């Protein structure tokens, strides 16, 4: 319920923890924004992530939910190429 405080804490974490932990923090920031139903900020957070199948799945879902399925298709295709048997992606 304290997503704004969590987002601030994750931003501070990114500043001190370094790039090796940034993806995990950006993912959590994106999830917080999803909980707040702030699709624009969630998308921005997920796009900060360099390599994370979980973030790509969240981004693709978000794009589909916001009427941009054609933008989600390359992400889904890339995930299926890398993880052809992943039920989470096939969903």
């Amino acid at each position: 319920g304290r997503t704004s405080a969590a987002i601030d804490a994750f931003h501070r974490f990114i500043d001190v923890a370094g790039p090796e932990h940034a993806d995990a923090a950006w993912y959590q920031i994106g999830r917080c924004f999803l909980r707040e139903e702030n699709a624009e900020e969630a998308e921005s957070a997920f796009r900060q992530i360099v390599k994370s199948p979980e973030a790509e799945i969240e981004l693709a879902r978000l794009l589909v939910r916001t009427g941009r399925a054609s933008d989600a298709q390359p992400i889904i295709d890339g995930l299926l190429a890398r993880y052809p048997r992943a039920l989470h992606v096939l969903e």
Side-chain angles (χ1 to χ4, degrees), residues 6 11 24 67:
H11 277 291

Side-chain angles (χ1 to χ4, degrees), residues 16 22 26-27 29 32 35 38 46 51 53-54 56 60 81-82 85-86 90:
V16 297
W26 280 115
Y27 179 79
I29 290 169
C32 286
R35 288 181 193 99
N38 186 336
F46 291 134
K51 292 281 185 190
E54 294 83 9
E56 289 178 280
R82 286 179 289 166
R85 300 177 74 127
L90 292 172

Side-chain angles (χ1 to χ4, degrees), residues 5-70:
I7 290 167
D8 290 341
F10 282 118
H11 277 291
R12 289 192 307 274
F13 175 78
I14 290 169
D15 292 339
V16 297
E20 64 272 9
H21 301 291
D23 284 355
W26 280 115
Y27 179 79
Q28 293 304 325
I29 290 169
R31 297 282 297 153
C32 286
F33 280 124
L34 286 177
R35 288 181 193 99
E36 292 180 353
E37 298 183 18
N38 186 336
E40 186 176 309
E41 291 294 332
E43 180 179 343
S44 177
F46 291 134
R47 290 190 183 277
Q48 296 294 318
I49 299 169
V50 178
K51 292 281 185 190
S52 168
E54 294 83 9
E56 289 178 280
I57 289 168
E58 291 293 346
L59 179 57
R61 283 182 180 165
L62 180 59
L63 292 170
V64 169
R65 282 195 307 262
T66 57
R68 296 178 288 160
S70 61

